[in-house]
Amino acid sequence: MMHTNDKFPTHHSSLQGLRVLLVDNDVNFCNSLTAMLQSYGVNVQATFLGEQAMEIFVQWQPDVLLNGISSSKEDGYTLIHQVRTLAGERGKAVPAIALTGAVTEDMYQRSLLAGFSLCFAKPVVIDDFVAVLGILAIADNLHLR
């Protein structure tokens, strides 16, 4: 489920063509967030935690990684570790946002130490989330390379 708060404009030209890989085990969340991001012109590929996520990351080379960090099968920290190891080899770190059911101080610190740029609680407030993606895109000149 997504929430809106109408705090931010609905048009974010900085998001047009942004490539986002969404990795989460909640199918409904993935479908909702994908649809919302696509309405802003974001190119989204959604997948589940596991081997396929890293494969897609390497082949598609997204601008931003959205990664669920709570899962009964595999912990999202494994994927961010693989992504950061790859970034170390290639010299370019992709911004990554951890997505979780509840953000505690411990979880936030663990997420940052693991290599995430930010941590967001689900369900996300879509206007705030899109604003943050826009800031990341502008700050890192993502998808403009």
Side-chain angles (χ1 to χ4, degrees), residues 4-66:
T4 59
N5 64 14
D6 299 326
K7 263 202 303 194
F8 299 98
T10 55
H11 178 69
H12 291 275
S13 60
S14 61
L15 297 180
Q16 293 293 318
L18 186 72
R19 294 160 63 95
V20 171
L21 175 58
L22 170 58
V23 183
D24 198 278
N25 280 344
D26 182 337
V27 175
N28 293 330
F29 176 75
C30 282
N31 291 340
S32 296
L33 188 56
T34 296
M36 292 299 290
L37 292 176
Q38 287 174 339
S39 74
Y40 288 91
V42 176
N43 294 325
V44 181
Q45 283 215 21
T47 188
F48 300 106
L49 288 171
E51 291 297 320
Q52 187 185 16
M54 192 61 192
E55 214 173 285
I56 293 171
F57 182 88
V58 169
Q59 291 173 1
W60 195 52
Q61 298 182 6
D63 298 310
V64 178
L65 172 65
L66 307 178

